[in-house]
Amino acid sequence: MAAEPEKRHDGPVQSSLEVGTTSDIPQSWYSRLLSDFRPIERDESEGSVEAPLARKLQGRHMQMIAIGGSIGTGLFIGSGASLSQGGPLGLLLSFMIIGIMMFCVVNALGELAVRFPISGGFNIYSTRFIDPAWGFAMGWNYALQWLVVLPLELTASALTIRYWHSTINVGVWITIFLATVISINLIGVKGYGEAEFAFAIIKVVAVVGFILFGIIYNVGGTPHGSYIGGKLWRDPGPLANGFKGICAVFVNAAFAFAGTELVGLAAAEAANPRKSLPKAIKQVFWRITLFYIISLFIVGLIVPYTDNRLLNPSSSVDINTSPFVIAINNAGVKILPDIFNAVILVAVLSVGNSSIYASSRTLTGLADRSQAPKIFRYVDRKGRPLVSLALSSALGFIAYVSCSDKGPKVFTWLLALSGLSSLFTWGSICYAHIRFRSGFAYQGYSLDELSFKSQGGLIGSWIGLMINILCLIAQFYTAVWPIGGTPNAKSFFEIYLAAPIILVSFIAWKIVKRTKWVSLNDMDVVSGSRAYTAEDLEEENNTPKNGFGRVSGLLC
């Protein structure tokens, strides 16, 4: 349906501000330091609500955030429980399905984030293109997801250290690691980007190294090894608990993939999202294939799902439940267990670092749109959302509960908050993309005006949305009828706690604010966008590629 001419908006609209400094720079370093923490002046003209965050992330940062953003405890440790519950086939199928869905989600997100590289997280797209009440629910869902991940990752880091120093209280290591990730984020977005760049390189090298190790171990090339081949797929077999086992693994897979969408959140602080974000998005397929599917296929070949070390009911973050570590220990290769434990330590610190970054930016975005207390709008002259950073960091102190015998119970409920939340976030991203395309066309725009288009298009977003819904149904099934148990409220809410929280948030905001479903006619497809002329896009597409750019272009 053609839009009326007056609906057409021309020209670029840029509502974000560059972080600047005042002309009266203090002379002493102490005065300059204090001045940096003072609030930056915001541009409140024409209804602008954009947080003036610093745009300092380069292309290499964006690509490494995309490649290594979600490689952490979900893959290295959580896959142990998944293998035990679903068997090697259940593990592989679940992660493949989630992987396909993530490919669709990240491409949909990429199109939105390149067009609208605005601060505040993915709830902004839900608010604009679906319903403000749903955007409110999704914003707090995403913020809570990352707020509770930090203490989990800090505890995992401390328990990893106990591999070398078992006599030192875990509280000591929690303090050290918490101070480390807070310091990185206080440096600013450039500090976060550089840290993730280094962390991602280590994780990538480690996963590739494990794949090579697993192949050698499988064919009997290690000191304690003998030829395995596909024996474990015959005995004890490919599936641990049949169809229900496959369904049970979905929540673990969702938790493992959490963080893949961080590259879209970081777009608001990218120096040139039009160039760096599409390259990063195109790496997602190869990362999913290499780091998850191939490595977990190798794990299923060399670690039997009946190994009782895979599932430790006393701790949800025990390094000894990692099938990667179990395989290395079984192989009898000296030094390698120490190296891989160090890699896991880096991985969990990386996710902890990302949790502060993601939750603080989301909280600031919520406050900018009057969906959170105004105090969270505070951004200093270095582009740091200080109050949001303070709250995000403070939640890390929950990790100290691991020093008591109540720790496992607390972490079980924290996992319940974070695991299922990702499915709602990803489904909303896909549906927001579908709605955006509809509104974009209705108001007279052409897809040729988009500098990056989702590789899956609308079909990909519908596939991603449907897989998310199917995963939620599968999780409901295993929550009501848990493996090896009878229906009970405790087991249900341990898996499905995020759903009622989101539903209550949505209904409450709907009633209080009397929000309405966003119509195609009223949909805002302009504010915060970076529009480009056809000549700009043609010039960029015709620019010769060299080095890594040429290789990635051929692959993607």
Side-chain angles (χ1 to χ4, degrees):
M1 177 179 179
E4 294 142 6
E6 58 267 27
K7 296 296 180 184
R8 183 69 164 84
H9 304 278
D10 294 308
V13 178
Q14 183 54 269
S15 57
S16 291
L17 301 176
E18 294 293 342
V19 177
T21 56
T22 58
S23 56
D24 53 338
I25 300 177
Q27 296 299 314
S28 69
W29 69 267
Y30 180 73
S31 298
R32 288 198 302 269
L33 180 64
L34 291 180
S35 178
D36 287 342
F37 285 95
R38 292 170 60 189
I40 191 172
E41 295 182 5
R42 285 172 172 262
D43 178 13
E44 304 289 354
S45 62
E46 299 182 2
S48 174
V49 296
E50 285 304 295
L53 302 174
R55 292 199 176 110
K56 295 185 177 180
L57 292 177
Q58 304 300 320
R60 62 186 180 90
H61 298 132
M62 299 296 288
Q63 292 193 42
M64 281 304 177
I65 289 172
I67 292 173
S70 62
I71 302 177
T73 53
L75 175 63
F76 290 133
I77 300 178
S79 57
S82 298
L83 179 60
S84 177
Q85 292 175 335
L89 180 59
L91 174 70
L92 199 60
L93 285 177
S94 298
F95 274 79
M96 286 178 67
I97 293 171
I98 297 293
I100 293 170
M101 180 262 292
M102 284 310 306
F103 176 77
C104 298
V105 169
V106 175
N107 270 276
L109 174 60
E111 181 176 311
L112 293 172
V114 171
R115 178 72 179 182
F116 305 101
I118 52 181
S119 63
F122 320 111
N123 67 299
I124 309 305
Y125 305 133
S126 296
T127 297
R128 284 189 176 189
F129 309 135
I130 302 176
D131 187 315
W134 187 249
F136 170 81
M138 286 298 96
W140 278 103
N141 167 66
Y142 194 70
L144 286 174
Q145 172 187 336
W146 284 107
L147 285 170
V148 302
V149 161
L150 179 58
L152 288 170
E153 299 300 325
L154 290 172
T155 302
S157 300
L159 293 177
T160 302
I161 286 290
R162 294 188 69 178
Y163 177 83
W164 296 286
H165 300 283
S166 59
T167 58
I168 300 178
N169 190 285
V170 294
V172 175
W173 301 115
I174 289 173
T175 302
I176 294 173
F177 298 138
L178 179 59
T180 300
V181 295
I182 290 175
S183 299
I184 291 172
N185 279 273
L186 278 178
I187 294 174
V189 68
K190 189 67 176 293
Y192 166 76
E194 293 295 349
E196 285 305 302
F197 182 80
F199 290 155
I201 289 176
I202 295 172
K203 291 185 288 186
V204 167
V205 171
V207 174
V208 173
F210 178 82
I211 292 172
L212 296 175
F213 156 80
I215 294 172
I216 295 171
Y217 180 35
N218 182 262
V219 298
T222 59
H224 295 173
S226 59
Y227 180 77
I228 301 174
K231 294 178 182 178
L232 297 182
W233 280 64
R234 296 190 295 272
D235 183 20
L239 289 173
N241 293 284
F243 176 72
K244 185 180 288 188
I246 297 175
C247 293
V249 177
F250 279 129
V251 70
N252 295 332
F255 179 77
F257 277 101
T260 305
E261 74 289 336
L262 278 173
V263 66
L265 185 66
E269 294 175 87
N272 190 342
R274 178 165 60 103
K275 289 185 177 181
S276 59
L277 192 56
K279 291 181 180 179
I281 294 298
K282 291 176 181 179
Q283 302 301 315
V284 170
F285 173 78
W286 301 105
R287 184 191 62 164
I288 290 171
T289 302
L290 178 62
F291 302 138
Y292 283 96
I293 306 307
I294 296 180
S295 63
L296 292 177
F297 174 69
I298 295 293
V299 162
L301 288 176
I302 59 181
V303 179
Y305 72 77
T306 52
D307 193 312
N308 56 19
R309 292 172 291 178
L310 289 171
L311 200 57
N312 182 1
S314 66
S315 175
S316 58
V317 288
D318 189 354
I319 191 68
N320 294 312
T321 65
S322 168
F324 294 81
V325 174
I326 291 172
I328 292 172
N329 285 328
N330 289 346
V333 181
K334 295 181 180 180
I335 304 299
L336 195 55
D338 295 271
I339 294 175
F340 208 81
N341 272 279
V343 170
I344 292 179
L345 177 61
V346 168
V348 294
L349 281 175
S350 171
V351 178
N353 182 44
S354 295
S355 69
I356 294 181
Y357 175 82
S359 57
S360 63
R361 270 57 181 183
T362 304
L363 284 170
T364 302
L366 286 167
D368 283 336
R369 287 152 183 85
S370 301
Q371 295 176 334
K374 290 184 178 179
I375 191 172
F376 292 115
R377 295 190 71 205
Y378 190 103
V379 177
D380 70 8
R381 296 185 178 186
K382 288 292 185 180
R384 298 169 295 193
L386 285 183
V387 177
S388 298
L389 281 173
L391 177 63
S392 303
S393 302
L395 267 291
F397 288 95
I398 295 176
Y400 288 106
V401 78
S402 62
C403 299
S404 73
D405 56 358
K406 300 294 184 181
K409 291 183 178 179
V410 173
F411 290 128
T412 295
W413 291 108
L414 290 179
L415 281 170
L417 277 172
S418 61
L420 207 62
S421 298
S422 296
L423 292 174
F424 285 99
T425 297
W426 299 331
S428 295
I429 290 172
C430 289
Y431 190 55
H433 177 244
I434 293 169
R435 290 279 298 164
F436 162 71
R437 282 285 190 95
S438 299
F440 199 64
Y442 181 82
Q443 295 188 21
Y445 292 92
S446 167
L447 293 182
D448 293 334
E449 297 176 72
L450 297 176
S451 58
F452 174 74
K453 292 183 282 292
S454 169
Q455 296 175 84
L458 280 178
I459 294 178
S461 291
W462 278 112
I463 292 174
L465 178 61
M466 291 299 104
I467 293 178
N468 270 285
I469 293 174
L470 290 175
C471 288
L472 289 170
I473 294 173
Q475 288 310 299
F476 185 84
Y477 168 59
T478 55
V480 175
W481 293 281
I483 294 176
T486 56
N488 63 86
K490 181 176 180 293
S491 63
F492 175 82
F493 285 109
E494 283 180 355
I495 296 177
Y496 233 77
L497 182 60
I501 292 176
I502 290 172
L503 185 62
V504 169
S505 300
F506 171 70
I507 294 175
W509 198 255
K510 190 82 173 172
I511 293 174
V512 172
K513 297 296 182 179
R514 300 179 182 274
T515 65
K516 296 181 179 180
W517 181 267
V518 179
S519 67
L520 299 182
N521 188 60
D522 297 328
M523 189 177 291
D524 180 6
V525 296
V526 175
S527 299
S529 66
R530 292 188 186 181
Y532 310 101
T533 66
E535 290 76 12
D536 292 335
L537 301 180
E538 183 178 359
E539 180 181 354
E540 180 173 312
N541 291 332
N542 293 332
T543 300
K545 298 179 179 179
N546 53 62
F548 180 77
R550 183 182 292 113
V551 174
S552 64
L554 291 172
L555 291 177
C556 307

